[in-house]
Amino acid sequence: MNHALTAAAAGFGTGLSLIVAIGAQNAFVLRQGVRRDAVLAVVGICALSDAVLIALGVGGVGAVVVAWPGAVRAVGLVGGAFLLCYGALAARRVLRPGTGLRTEGEAVGSRRRAVLTCLALTWLNPHVYLDTVFLLGSLAADRGPLRWTFGLGAALASLCWFAALGFGARLLGRFLARPTAWRALDGLVAVTMLAFGAVLVAGS
């Protein structure tokens, strides 16, 4: 029992350390959380996607994917192009600001767009595969029979993080109700997306 708890705790800590850094996916979840737009769907997609990818890594799929480097490069190019486009849209919002934070219910029509964007940010980002399928998969393999317990801990860390980021972001609502603060957040999103997109395209 103690060994299982240790493995789960190690997986939780490792998984948390890999996803806490601000990246394209986290910036998007933060923005949706502040807007209170499709938060449950976005958090669910991120957490479930990570759980699936972690399971693939623990199951040894990473070694198989390495055999097709061309596929990894293709995902990098498509994902990089997507991030560049999304970053450009965020930069445009900075240059052409709106009236600040929109309240819940004003962006119902964008729910489908939010879900599709979240799926693209998750599944078209090669770094997600490197962190979950390859790195976590390799670390889990070292746990032997407890590798699935390690993976479960990592998946739980992902769920806790995205839930805290998405639902906790609304605490910033009053602060971001000001147009200048909203522009600052969009600026952070733009810089993050453009930087990650450029890195992906250049490295593919």
Side-chain angles (χ1 to χ4, degrees), residues 16 40 47 62 129 137:
L16 198 61
L40 180 60
Y129 296 92

Side-chain angles (χ1 to χ4, degrees), residues 5-19 136 149-161:
L5 289 176
T6 300
F12 187 93
T14 303
L16 198 61
S17 67
L18 291 175
I19 63 175
L136 281 175
T149 305
F150 179 91
L152 180 62
L156 181 60
S158 177
L159 174 61
C160 292
W161 169 253

Side-chain angles (χ1 to χ4, degrees), residues 120-174:
L121 287 174
T122 301
W123 293 93
L124 292 181
N125 185 356
H127 289 292
V128 173
Y129 296 92
L130 292 175
D131 289 344
T132 56
V133 178
F134 298 109
L135 182 54
L136 281 175
S138 299
L139 293 174
D142 294 336
R143 296 283 169 171
L146 294 175
R147 64 184 184 279
W148 288 106
T149 305
F150 179 91
L152 180 62
L156 181 60
S158 177
L159 174 61
C160 292
W161 169 253
F162 287 119
L165 188 63
F167 294 105
R170 64 183 58 189
L171 298 177
L172 300 174
R174 180 176 299 179

Side-chain angles (χ1 to χ4, degrees), residues 27-28 31-32 35 85-100 102 113 117 179-191 193:
F28 178 75
R31 188 173 194 277
Q32 293 302 115
R35 297 175 64 195
C85 292
Y86 192 91
L89 291 176
R92 183 184 179 186
R93 289 194 297 268
V94 174
L95 298 176
R96 297 181 180 180
T99 57
R102 287 182 291 182
R113 183 171 65 250
T117 300
T180 53
W182 190 247
R183 290 177 69 185
L185 176 61
D186 271 330
L188 172 64
V189 172
V191 170
M193 300 294 183

